Amino acid sequence: MTYCVGLKIDRGLVFMSDTRTNAGMDSISTFRKMHVWEEPGERVIVLMSAGNLATTQAVVSLLDERSKAVVDRHQALLETASMYQTACMVGDIVKEVIAKSIPVGETADAYFNASFILGGQIRGSEPRLFMIYPEGNFIESTDDTPFFQIGETKYGKPIIIRAYDRTMSFAETVKLLVVSFDSTLKSNLSVGLPIDLLFYEKDTFKVGIRKRFAQDDAYYRTISEGWSNALKAAFQNLPDFSE
Amino acid sequence: MTYCVGLKIDRGLVFMSDTRTNAGMDSISTFRKMHVWEEPGERVIVLMSAGNLATTQAVVSLLDERSKAVVDRHQALLETASMYQTACMVGDIVKEVIAKSIPVGETADAYFNASFILGGQIRGSEPRLFMIYPEGNFIESTDDTPFFQIGETKYGKPIIIRAYDRTMSFAETVKLLVVSFDSTLKSNLSVGLPIDLLFYEKDTFKVGIRKRFAQDDAYYRTISEGWSNALKAAFQNLPDFSE
């Protein structure tokens, strides 16, 4: 499985993804699930993926080829006129890759499926954040739903629901995501360290902060231990049940 | 969906279950998912269910009939010699009901499935807690894994992992379960109030405390609001990320 979150705040977009890929319990590998295309001063596009690794790699490879190809330049990822068109392009490629993966004569099933979070900004418009489904269609974040999760989403959702605020700073948002990821890692073996972080600051048109948190990262450990202790203390301070 | 937790502490067994049943988004009903058989001084048996409502009701009906029937008395739920034999009996019935539900000529699928948590104590042995699968087989709790969840289990798991301790009092355990249920209810529409609570105190051989928490329950609201506030405060107190 996988866990990725893309979150919109007033100051920009924050992305976090784990790196664990597993095909069965005894075939565990580390793969980056966060992919970035950048044309400084013009656009930054971030794509995170969950699902069948062959599918997600094929999608990224096709996007890469298109962004580098001389022919078909009008389809290239670095040439799309808007984030909406970028999402359409990614959606089309996802649909195409999944359709090609299904054995001839068989009907589609969930095996080759993949979901994506796409975010970024292209000069001339606002930062935008999308979630793209295996069917190739997609939804966009709004003020009501300012974040998307893909993969193993449930363990880490309650804290985001409770603590998110669009006026948060980048530093607070990272804290929130680290707590959400740590809750997920503690509960589910298929999500694993290291985790990748990217911050895109609105209207900068270049990648902001990028960082990888490994097992021994001091900040990660501070939050993980601090949150465990804080939860226990908060729990102790609530009144016990009495009839 | 559903959310049920059965938890073993040194002082006994604690059970909690929600009551929401849905067949689609617009067909929501309230059904008790906690069933109790008691022979004061001799045995207390508690069964909680998640999954297809027709299946779980059929299982409970069959158990009821067997516990009341004059013939076949050796199979009756109130006559089993041990909790292990009780689990075997429930498992057999689950398997039988699911097998009968599958249309003739079709292979089994997940549609009629149901899972159960079974716990209790029969005079002469310790309190025991089991989780029974749709296949009819089951596992028993141990000191390493002292609780079982069925249904929508993920949202409420992190807090149980962090705060459970076998020496907890009943009052603290209820607090823990209310926090776990509240996190689930806040994240998932298919789990809903009221929630049922049962405490079986070790070696009493009678049902201890039984209570139903509704929307307006003062303790439930105290914990729900208190936990939200405590989480936010705990989160604020952790250090923000700095590069």
Side-chain angles (χ1 to χ4, degrees):
Chain A
M1 206 74 172
T2 285
Y3 183 39
C4 303
V5 182
L7 203 152
K8 200 170 174 178
I9 51 175
D10 286 347
R11 293 164 214 208
L13 300 168
V14 188
F15 303 89
M16 193 173 273
S17 57
D18 86 314
T19 52
R20 182 160 294 175
T21 298
N22 67 309
M25 292 301 284
D26 52 358
S27 174
I28 291 177
S29 325
T30 300
F31 280 93
R32 181 178 292 274
K33 297 167 192 172
M34 185 188 288
H35 304 274
V36 187
W37 292 266
E38 183 184 19
E39 201 186 337
E42 281 302 319
R43 70 178 65 201
V44 169
I45 293 169
V46 179
L47 185 71
M48 295 187 297
S49 54
N52 184 295
L53 184 63
T55 300
T56 61
Q57 286 195 339
V59 168
V60 171
S61 296
L62 285 170
L63 287 169
D64 259 340
E65 283 189 13
R66 291 194 190 190
S67 74
K68 286 167 194 157
V70 180
V71 287
D72 253 3
R73 197 64 174 177
H74 62 283
Q75 276 199 330
L77 190 67
L78 295 180
E79 299 282 324
T80 47
S82 68
M83 282 304 294
Y84 177 81
Q85 285 188 20
T86 313
C88 288
M89 192 174 119
V90 175
D92 286 345
I93 292 178
V94 171
K95 204 158 50 174
E96 196 180 294
V97 167
I98 294 178
K100 267 204 287 196
S101 304
I102 298 165
V104 177
E106 292 188 21
T107 54
D109 67 9
Y111 188 71
F112 297 103
N113 276 1
S115 307
F116 297 82
I117 294 174
L118 173 76
Q121 187 176 15
I122 293 177
R123 187 170 286 281
S125 64
E126 292 293 296
R128 296 174 75 173
L129 186 67
F130 298 89
M131 174 144 103
I132 302 172
Y133 296 105
E135 290 77 10
N137 59 349
F138 52 84
I139 55 175
E140 182 171 4
S141 72
T142 61
D143 287 348
D144 293 325
T145 303
F147 68 91
F148 292 127
Q149 304 169 288
I150 52 177
E152 197 57 73
T153 61
K154 296 185 179 183
Y155 304 104
K157 192 176 180 187
I159 184 62
I160 302 183
I161 290 175
R162 282 186 166 106
Y164 167 83
D165 178 344
R166 55 183 287 177
T167 63
M168 279 176 138
S169 68
F170 164 65
E172 279 177 302
T173 308
V174 174
K175 178 170 71 171
L176 174 60
L177 291 178
V178 168
V179 169
S180 176
F181 271 72
D182 188 52
S183 294
T184 308
L185 263 74
K186 279 208 168 55
S187 302
N188 192 298
L189 276 183
S190 74
V191 179
L193 288 167
I195 53 180
D196 290 316
L197 165 72
L198 188 147
F199 173 48
Y200 170 72
E201 193 177 348
K202 188 180 173 180
D203 298 336
T204 58
F205 304 100
K206 63 182 174 59
V207 169
I209 291 152
R210 268 186 103 158
K211 183 179 163 66
R212 174 166 277 200
F213 295 95
Q215 187 75 50
D216 57 355
D217 183 86
Y219 181 71
Y220 187 88
R221 293 179 66 156
T222 303
I223 295 297
S224 176
E225 285 160 26
W227 184 244
S228 267
N229 295 336
L231 279 195
K232 282 176 197 155
F235 182 71
Q236 291 303 333
N237 288 334
L238 287 177
D240 288 351
F241 175 69
S242 62
E243 282 175 272
Chain B
M1 207 74 175
T2 286
Y3 183 40
C4 302
V5 182
L7 203 151
K8 200 170 176 179
I9 51 175
D10 286 347
R11 293 164 213 211
L13 300 168
V14 188
F15 303 88
M16 193 173 272
S17 57
D18 86 315
T19 52
R20 181 160 295 176
T21 298
N22 67 309
M25 293 301 285
D26 51 359
S27 174
I28 291 175
S29 324
T30 300
F31 281 92
R32 180 178 293 274
K33 297 166 191 171
M34 184 188 288
H35 305 274
V36 187
W37 292 266
E38 183 183 20
E39 200 186 339
E42 281 301 320
R43 69 178 64 200
V44 169
I45 294 169
V46 179
L47 185 70
M48 296 188 295
S49 54
N52 184 295
L53 183 64
T55 299
T56 61
Q57 285 195 341
V59 169
V60 171
S61 295
L62 284 170
L63 288 169
D64 259 340
E65 282 189 14
R66 292 194 190 189
S67 75
K68 287 168 193 157
V70 181
V71 288
D72 251 3
R73 197 65 175 177
H74 62 284
Q75 278 199 329
L77 189 66
L78 294 180
E79 299 284 324
T80 46
S82 68
M83 282 304 295
Y84 177 81
Q85 286 187 19
T86 313
C88 289
M89 190 175 120
V90 175
D92 287 345
I93 293 179
V94 171
K95 206 159 48 174
E96 193 181 297
V97 168
I98 294 178
K100 267 204 285 195
S101 304
I102 297 166
V104 177
E106 293 188 20
T107 54
D109 66 9
Y111 188 72
F112 297 102
N113 276 2
S115 306
F116 297 82
I117 293 173
L118 173 76
Q121 187 175 15
I122 292 176
R123 187 171 287 280
S125 65
E126 292 293 295
R128 295 175 74 173
L129 186 67
F130 298 89
M131 174 144 104
I132 302 172
Y133 297 104
E135 291 76 11
N137 59 349
F138 51 84
I139 55 175
E140 182 171 3
S141 72
T142 61
D143 286 350
D144 293 324
T145 303
F147 68 92
F148 292 126
Q149 304 170 290
I150 52 176
E152 196 57 73
T153 60
K154 297 186 178 183
Y155 305 105
K157 191 176 181 187
I159 185 62
I160 301 183
I161 290 177
R162 282 183 165 109
Y164 166 83
D165 178 345
R166 55 183 286 177
T167 63
M168 280 176 138
S169 69
F170 165 64
E172 278 177 301
T173 308
V174 174
K175 178 168 72 171
L176 175 60
L177 291 178
V178 169
V179 169
S180 176
F181 270 73
D182 188 51
S183 294
T184 308
L185 263 75
K186 280 209 168 57
S187 301
N188 193 298
L189 276 182
S190 74
V191 179
L193 289 166
I195 54 181
D196 289 318
L197 164 71
L198 188 147
F199 173 48
Y200 170 72
E201 193 176 347
K202 190 180 171 177
D203 298 336
T204 58
F205 304 101
K206 62 181 175 58
V207 169
I209 290 152
R210 269 187 102 159
K211 183 178 162 67
R212 175 166 276 200
F213 295 95
Q215 186 76 51
D216 56 355
D217 183 85
Y219 181 71
Y220 187 89
R221 292 179 65 156
T222 303
I223 295 298
S224 175
E225 284 159 27
W227 185 244
S228 269
N229 295 335
L231 279 195
K232 283 177 199 156
F235 182 71
Q236 290 302 331
N237 288 334
L238 287 176
D240 288 351
F241 174 69
S242 61
E243 282 175 274

